[in-house]
Amino acid sequence: MVVPTRGRNKESPPLKPGQQQHQSPGASPRSGRGRPPHSPGRQVPGGARAMRKGGGGRRGARSDPQRPCREGPAAEGERDALGRGPLRLLHVCRDQLRVFVDDRKAFIIKSDSKMWLTFLLAAFAGVLHWCHITTLFENDRHFSHLSTLEREMAFRTEMGLYYSYFKIIIEAPSFWNGVWAIMNDRLTEYPLVINTLQRFNLYPEVVLASWYRIYTAIMDFLGVPTKTCWTVNRGKGLSPVESCEGLGDPASFYVAVIFLLNGLMMSLFFIYGTYLSGSRLGGLVTVMCFFFNHGECTRVMWTPPLRESFSYPFLVLQMLLLTYILRIPNINTGSLIALCVSNIFFMLPWQFAQFVLLTQVSLVVCFILMFGNSMLLTSYYAASLVVIWGILELSPKVLKSSRREVYIWVIEGCAWLFGTVTLKYLTSLAFGIADDAHIGNILKSKFIGYKDFDTLMYTCAAEFDFMEKETPVRYTKTLLLPVVLVVFGVIIKRAIKYLMWALSQAGQYEREERFNHGELVYHALQLLAYSVLAILIMRLKLFLTPHLCVMASLVCSKQLFGWLFCKIQPKTLVFAILALMAIEGSANLQTQWNIMGEFSNLPQEELLEWIKVNTRQDAVFAGAMPTMASVKLSTLRPIVNHPHYEDAGLRARTKVVYSMYSRKPAKEVKRELIKLGVNYYILEESLCVSRKKPGCSMPEIWDVEDPANSGKIPLCTLMSKDSRPYFITVFENSNYRVLKALKE
């Protein structure tokens, strides 16, 4: 049977020994969806709680209101009963107890029904987001109809590097053999042997590989097929390829779990907005704002294997737990443990998570689990923790309590900033660690125009540039920015009133009674921090935009807008705002749904197939970082550089490899490559001539690093014409040229 597809046809092949059949209905991705997490403190919209103490807004513990003394004939009847014998008294007590139990039972049933309705709506939001990102990913790549090699090529740059370790573990004789292989890796930075678990935040791949092995083992034991394989006719004179669908296919399983996790993230966003605003309408506003600004909120549908896809959902959980902790009057140990665990799950998958967190002990756990990762030890995050601890210990002793409280806050803030930067510099100097030195250089480039090779490799990429001017315009068109500015203004107004009150000589108790919504101030300050990060580095708007969506939920808060809700129904206001947001938001969604494509990269496919057939298994390759990730993933050949740039030694290696695009003499470049053990160099002419913006072509970047050779013809141009006498060309197509280094 031939199945027509976009530019491809699928044919059912004849059965082969060991070939698996159609996936059973029971293996649907829906079956992997778990229950939404339990809401902290069992917060219920509308103010109802299953907990007795800790009412909204940190107003303190409150006992059940006492029933007023009843007067009139009924009360007299009770008093008369006291003189009519013990039997009548028992009847009265029984009736009162029944009334008490009925009241409490009605309250519990009402609370639970509201809670489960919230969870049900949250689950619906999660399923909706899962369907949305799965559809966008399939529409963009036609992933279900790609061959195994094409799917691997679709994971470009660092995505392919991360996925390669998942592939190593699932193809190893056993799970532990696979883990040992990635902890003693000889392919990624030849000739070095490195522990990739320590270097590359690979715990997501380890967990997913274990799940995949368990899943396939169980299905094989039960005799249940996990995938269906087809022959795909690609047309245009191309040879047919085999394409497999189902969770038994490694790449399909890998992306399916990522999309399920990010579907669960949307459920958390609904619960988050509901809890913060005190209304399910707030959860609705958060979810709808996320969808209307989806392209600004996430890129998981285009780049599933990136570290943020695994990490960010746990930051949402962490912020929800932190909101709960700030709201309740008495912090319990369970809440702090949950916060610590969420921080660990946020930090382990992503090397940049440390720049978002502030004060958690999870740093120590991550340092241990990543086998003493030096970048964590000397990070700004670690320095910040030490300085904060010092301020908490010394501030009561050094700063006299007679000073105005606001002045003390200013002094502590300045001490934290200066102390963090100073301690970070001193620890890096003392331990001789420069793995994250490029982070400071990137920040310097934003303020004083600092330039060097490593900095330009980052800042010339669009995602590390300043935020686009169009981004705030897009926020405004969906009304996200105007709504959040109103909410932010109301919070700041209340905070300023509190500060004015604090400047007076009022007592501590009176100040707490005057302002008891610290979680709102936290979210406002977090918004400012995310805004600064997003303005400096466009990639970090992936923190800002979702937080704007959460802040928008506060338009439903009675704490902030109770005076307005006395004049207009909250539902009327919310649905009017959502209707206006939907004008531009629906257009944004339609633009996403209209994206239709099919992944194809024939030049790279030819390159990889040539490498498999024509080179030895131990042949060592060098070249552009994105291409090296694909070479390692699909051919399992050793490489000397790769896209994970957060290591000083790797950055030095990459500079040697990229000297092919400089103006240095060919003899000098070849000598340095031979020192790294390189046998083949993959030259890409596009890197030699492409220019994303002024000063960002590879020869121009090298002019900053190597001004002595400025003005000469780039070596890559010379190699494209004639690679002799130091190299010989052994393969060439429209995009790639493979140069073999001749040994002296």
Side-chain angles (χ1 to χ4, degrees), residues 542-559:
L542 301 176
F543 289 112
L544 172 63
T545 315
H547 194 68
L548 288 172
C549 298
V550 172
M551 290 289 290
S553 71
L554 289 170
V555 76
C556 308
S557 172
K558 293 181 180 179
Q559 296 176 353

Side-chain angles (χ1 to χ4, degrees), residues 634-698:
S634 299
T635 71
L636 295 179
R637 299 300 194 269
I639 58 176
V640 299
N641 64 308
H642 53 79
H644 198 280
Y645 213 53
E646 282 70 47
D647 178 78
L650 189 276
R651 291 197 293 273
R653 283 169 160 257
T654 300
K655 188 182 295 186
V656 171
V657 171
Y658 274 66
S659 62
M660 183 66 75
Y661 301 95
S662 70
R663 307 178 196 270
K664 294 176 180 290
K667 183 177 182 180
E668 178 183 342
V669 172
K670 178 208 163 185
R671 183 174 62 249
E672 295 301 318
L673 291 174
I674 292 294
K675 287 181 181 178
L676 292 178
V678 174
N679 301 125
Y680 296 94
Y681 190 97
I682 300 177
L683 180 68
E684 300 178 44
E685 191 174 355
S686 59
L687 289 179
C688 195
V689 298
S690 64
R691 192 184 190 209
K692 299 175 183 177
K693 59 183 181 180
C696 282
S697 69
M698 286 307 305

Side-chain angles (χ1 to χ4, degrees), residues 267 387 509 518 534 688:
S267 298
V387 171
Y509 174 78
C688 195

